[in-house]
Structure formats: C-alpha cells, structure tokens
C-alpha cells in the first residue's frame, strides 16, 4: 500500500447530499442498527474516509445506502470511491462514465479550494507515465454516446470552444492566478452538466474534444499558480478526454504541456521521453507548430542533461518545423506557437550549452517579433539574462525595464519567478544602470499575489 489518495468522489457526494460529517456518521450508525450492527462512528471517522481510508465490513454499503436515500438515486461503491481495495481508481484505464464522475469531483474540490487537492505535489514514476502510455496504446473508446437528462447540441459545443478561447486570452493578459477560479467555476457550472447529458457518439466526440481543450487551460492556470499536482491531474484528464475524442493532435498538445511541466520540475529524462511519445503517437496528426515546440523543449532537456549533440539535433529539427508553420492551418490550441517562440526556446537551450553569441541572436530575434503580453515578458527576461551573462549590463538594464513594465497587471507565479531571477542577476552585475533597473523590477514585484 502506498500513500493514500484523498477520496474526492465521496467528498463531492457528501457535499451534494448536504449532510455534515457528524450527520453522515450518525445516519450510518442508525442504518447499521437496522442490520443489527452496533456502530459508534463520529465525524473523525468520516474525515479518515475522505483522506482515503476504506472502512471495513458492511460500512461502505451503508455509506451508499445513506447517501442514495438522501440523493434519491442509486449510489454504488464506485460512486463513493471505494470500488477497489485501497479506493484508488487510475485516471484512465476504466469506463468513461467513471472517469467523468472523478473528473467533475476534482473540479468541485478545486472550486471549493480543498487543501488536499490544491496543495498536492505532482506524482512521479509509473503514476506519472501511465496516463501517457494509456493515451498512446489501445483500446480506443469504441462508442462515447451517453443517455442523459438533457441533449447536448452544437450550440453547447460552440460555447465550450468560445470559453476556451476567452480564458486562454485572459490567462495571457492577466496570468493564471487571476484566471484559474473563473475557468474552474465555468467547468463546474457549465461543462459538468453537459458531460452528464445525453449525446450520440459523433456529438460525444466533439464534446470531449471541446472539454479537453478547456481542461488543458485549467491545467495551465494551475501550473501558473504553483499547484503542480493539480495541474498534472488536469493534464491527465485532458489526455483522457483527447483519447475519447479520437483527436490525436489534441493529445499531442496536452503531452507538450506535460513536457513543459517536466522541464520546470527538472525531470529532464521524462521531458525527452514524453516529447518522443507525442511525436510518435500523434504521427501525421501533429502540426508543424506543435512539432517545432516539442523539438525545442527536447533541446532544452538535452542541454540540461549535458548532451550537446542531442540538443543541437533537436534545435535543427525545431527550426525546420518552424519554417513549415502556416498561420490559419493550425488548431486553436497551438496558437501559442507564435513567431519567435521557437527562437526563445532555442536561445534557452543554447544558453544551457554555453553558446552565448548564438543564444543572444535567437533571443534578440524573438524580442523583435510581435508576441502577446505574457510571451513578451518571457522573451525580454531571456534576453536580459543572456545580456548579463555576456557582461552587457547597461543593455540588460534597458531590456529589464521594458520587461518589468510589461509584467504589470499579471498574476503569475511563473512570471514572478522569472522577474525575481532577473532582479538577482541585475544586482549582482554591480552596474549602476542595472541596479536602477532592479529597483523598477522590485516595484513590479511589490504587490502580493
């Protein structure tokens, strides 16, 4: 038995039933008496079950009975997260219906800011790899249709697509911390009822496709808020939804998000392996923009691992794919691969390899190319870092001031990390201009997140 997983399914049902923990314990004791059992549960026992402990004997059946009576519907052991001994059901290798219930339970826990969900660390090893492996390998979903109370229409799908575009733009302008509660509120209020609705196989695939794109953005916002375990769970959900949609390109995009997170968490071998899996499994469905980004991220991972030849080969491939990008021929999700993005990724890889001259050329080219607000801050941060490493403190000071001005109004843990790091390097350079630029960066950092 490893560490226990919090039982979000049980928590969601207790919330829905509108019963307190003490109330549930009392109802279970009462239902037990009807079966001739002398149970003396209190709220502390319910708290243990929510942490993942599975009670013995007939108690799981009694929990189903009590909650079923209050909710006026049949509740199974799977519904309360106690189907398997240990109560943990893997994210993917199970029925789509069960997956939907677990996914929506997580959204609910996130909206309620449950600490065991929001503060969970990212998983590693087999648990991290399994969802990628399951996305890549059979069986596929043969039929995703569902009988439900309300029929899902094309208008509903259009709403989900519009919401994805809306929250992605909000994230780029205001950052993930500001956007996260909004998108999670939307998932709970608008998306969950649709997933539980009625749809044909064809409509269901479009629904899972649109939901997958939206859930991926929720993951990006969690990642940007430093909630890494939660971000990873959203990415794994998006991958399962991509599988149900039958859209291999969407799955490749979600894996690119996992590659980016692996880089941040310094798991460079996993970053390389995940990028390989995406390139291999998405095959012809992978667009030039996505292929360019995956190769560029692999280059950064190889640079960190000290494999110069591997890094340079990936840089070559990234640049070759970037040259094939045709605007207007990419899906909505890969719109983030804008001109200049590959330049800044390559600059970071070259910086890791110690080639400062080539790194500066790429970073300067990235800054010269138009980008959305958030991308611009990252590009300016990279150029500042390279200029400081080259001993060009006065140039770096000018770049850093523009970076600090651009970052105003954004609530993002990732951008804040970049700003802090640049500020330390400015101060360490000993140049008067750089020290004045550091004070301006301090101003941007003063407002707490």
């Amino acid at each position: 038995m490893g560490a226990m997983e919090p039982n979000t399914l049980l928590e969601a049902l207790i919330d829905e039933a509108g019963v307190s923990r003490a109330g549930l314990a009392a109802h279970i004791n009462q239902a037990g008496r009807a079966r001739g059992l002398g149970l003396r549960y209190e709220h502390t026992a319910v708290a243990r079950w929510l942490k993942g402990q599975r009670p013995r004997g007939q108690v799981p059946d009694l929990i189903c009975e009590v909650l079923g009576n209050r909710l006026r519907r049949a509740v199974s052991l799977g519904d309360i997260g106690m189907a398997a001994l240990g109560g943990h059901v893997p994210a993917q290798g199970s029925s789509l219906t069960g997956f939907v219930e677990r996914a929506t339970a997580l959204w609910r826990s996130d909206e309620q800011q449950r600490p065991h969900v929001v503060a969970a660390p990212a998983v590693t090893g087999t648990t991290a790899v399994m969802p990628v492996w399951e996305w890549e390998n059979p069986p596929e979903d043969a039929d995703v249709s569902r009988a439900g109370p309300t029929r899902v229409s094309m208008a509903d799908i259009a709403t989900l697509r519009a919401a994805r575009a809306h929250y992605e733009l909000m994230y780029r302008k205001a950052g993930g911390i500001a956007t996260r509660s909004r998108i999670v509120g939307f998932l709970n209020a608008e998306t969950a009822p649709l997933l539980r609705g009625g749809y044909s196989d064809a409509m269901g695939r479009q629904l899972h496709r649109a939901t997958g794109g939206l859930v991926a953005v929720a993951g990006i916002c969690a990642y940007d808020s430093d909630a890494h375990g939660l971000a990873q769970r959203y990415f794994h959900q998006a991958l399962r939804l991509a599988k149900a949609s039958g859209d291999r390109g969407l799955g490749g995009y979600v894996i690119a998000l996992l590659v980016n997170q692996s880089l941040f968490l310094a798991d460079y071998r996993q970053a390389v392996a995940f990028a390989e899996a995406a390139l291999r499994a998405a095959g012809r469905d992978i667009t030039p923009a996505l292929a360019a980004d995956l190769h560029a991220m692999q280059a950064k991972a190889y640079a960190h691992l000290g494999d110069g030849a591997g890094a340079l080969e990936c840089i070559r491939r990234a640049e070759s794919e970037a040259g094939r990008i045709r605007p207007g021929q990419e899906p909505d999700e890969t719109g983030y691969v804008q001109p200049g993005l590959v330049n800044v990724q390559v600059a970071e890889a070259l910086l890791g390899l110690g080639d400062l001259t080539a790194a500066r050329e790429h970073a300067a080219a990235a800054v010269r190319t138009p980008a959305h607000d958030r991308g611009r801050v990252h590009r300016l941060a990279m150029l500042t870092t390279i200029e400081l490493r080259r001993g060009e403190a006065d140039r770096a000071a000018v770049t850093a001031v523009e970076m600090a001005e651009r970052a105003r109004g954004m609530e993002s843990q990732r951008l804040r990390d970049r700003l802090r790091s640049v500020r330390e390097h400015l101060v360490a350079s000993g140049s008067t201009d750089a020290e004045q630029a550091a004070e301006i960066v301090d101003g941007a950092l003063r407002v707490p997140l």
Side-chain angles (χ1 to χ4, degrees):
M1 259 314 267
M4 288 192 295
E5 290 263 336
N7 192 337
T8 48
L9 284 178
L10 180 59
E11 185 166 60
L13 284 175
I14 292 173
D15 279 346
E16 194 187 341
V19 62
S20 70
R21 293 175 183 191
L24 179 64
H27 282 299
I28 286 166
N29 294 341
Q30 196 179 346
R33 274 198 294 279
R35 297 191 188 188
L37 301 170
L39 304 175
R40 291 197 184 82
Y41 283 118
E42 292 181 1
H43 68 93
T44 49
V46 180
R48 285 197 301 275
W49 304 338
L50 292 173
K51 283 181 181 152
Q53 191 188 79
R54 188 181 197 272
R56 298 170 191 280
Q58 299 178 44
V59 179
D61 295 319
L62 292 172
I63 298 172
C64 293
E65 184 184 313
V66 169
L67 291 173
N69 287 341
R70 287 193 69 103
L71 295 166
R72 295 192 173 84
R73 67 171 192 260
V75 171
S76 72
L77 291 173
D79 295 335
I80 63 164
M82 294 186 187
L85 280 166
H88 173 63
V89 190
Q92 289 186 278
S94 58
S95 80
L96 202 49
T97 314
F99 164 76
V100 165
E101 289 312 316
R102 286 192 303 283
T104 51
L106 180 76
W107 304 346
R108 196 173 182 144
S109 297
D110 186 10
E111 187 168 30
Q112 291 164 346
Q113 294 284 297
R114 300 289 172 151
H116 67 259
V117 168
V118 177
V123 296
T124 54
T126 314
T127 328
V129 174
M130 240 5 232
V132 176
W133 187 87
E134 285 174 345
W135 167 74
E136 199 180 342
N137 292 286
E140 304 302 318
D141 292 286
D143 180 9
V144 301
S145 63
R146 183 172 173 141
T150 46
R151 296 299 292 175
V152 173
S153 69
M154 272 317 290
D156 295 321
I157 308 286
T159 301
L160 294 182
R161 286 178 183 154
R164 194 210 71 80
H166 173 80
Y167 293 119
E168 183 179 56
L169 201 60
M170 189 188 288
Y171 155 78
R172 286 175 175 177
K173 289 185 169 168
I177 293 174
T179 310
R180 195 174 128 219
S181 60
R182 306 291 290 275
I183 192 167
V184 173
F186 181 89
L187 285 173
N188 280 297
E190 309 295 332
T191 316
L194 293 178
L195 285 177
R196 294 198 185 106
Y199 36 86
S200 66
D201 178 59
M203 183 65 78
R205 290 188 189 275
Q206 299 218 46
L207 173 63
H208 290 94
R209 169 76 183 74
T211 304
L214 199 55
V215 167
V217 177
I220 292 168
C221 292
Y223 166 82
D224 203 37
S225 312
D226 256 353
H228 284 286
L230 185 59
Q232 187 186 45
R233 289 177 80 172
Y234 275 121
F235 296 150
H236 289 167
Q237 285 184 6
L239 207 48
R240 180 67 187 91
L241 289 159
K243 180 139 184 161
S245 77
D247 185 328
R248 304 300 286 177
L250 176 64
Y253 157 74
V254 175
I255 292 189
L257 298 175
L258 285 166
V259 172
N260 184 58
Q261 186 181 36
S262 300
L263 283 173
F264 178 76
L265 297 173
D267 195 340
Y268 304 119
R269 293 194 188 285
Q270 182 168 284
V272 170
F274 280 2
E276 285 296 337
L279 290 160
R280 180 175 60 234
R284 286 200 303 267
D285 293 322
I286 223 156
T287 60
L290 188 53
D293 191 35
L294 285 164
H295 286 305
M297 287 192 289
Q298 268 190 318
K300 291 202 295 196
Y302 278 128
H304 279 290
L305 292 167
D307 180 348
L312 291 171
E313 174 58 23
C314 288
I315 288 173
R316 194 188 58 71
R317 286 184 189 165
E319 290 177 331
S320 156
E321 291 289 351
R324 295 175 46 223
I325 298 173
R326 297 288 168 266
Q329 290 181 5
E330 288 280 335
D332 296 341
E333 283 81 10
T334 51
Y336 74 94
V337 187
Q338 296 181 315
L341 175 89
V342 172
N343 286 110
V344 79
Q345 299 268 45
V346 166
E348 198 174 335
L350 291 166
L351 179 64
L353 295 175
D355 187 345
L356 297 179
T357 308
R360 190 188 188 288
E361 279 170 27
H362 278 278
V367 167
R368 282 195 302 272
T369 318
H372 56 72
D373 298 345
R374 184 190 177 86
R376 186 131 199 97
V377 175
H378 272 301
R379 293 173 188 198
L380 290 162
M382 181 48 58
L383 183 57
T384 309
T385 305
I386 294 166
E387 286 172 339
L388 286 168
R389 282 276 294 275
R390 284 168 57 91
E392 301 168 343
D394 297 351
R395 274 174 115 163
V398 177
T399 314
V401 169
E402 191 190 341
M403 172 199 73
E405 293 299 337
R406 289 287 180 140
R408 288 184 196 279
M410 291 187 196
E411 295 193 352
S412 157
Q413 204 56 56
R414 289 293 68 75
L415 289 184
R416 187 150 282 216
D417 292 344
R418 292 303 287 267
L419 262 60
R420 278 207 193 95
S421 163
V422 168
R423 184 198 163 280
E424 281 170 22
H425 290 127
L426 287 166
V427 173
S429 75
S431 135
T432 314
D433 286 359
E435 278 179 17
Q436 286 172 347
E439 282 172 26
I440 292 170
V441 175
D442 269 337
L445 288 169
R446 201 157 279 139
V447 181
L449 291 182

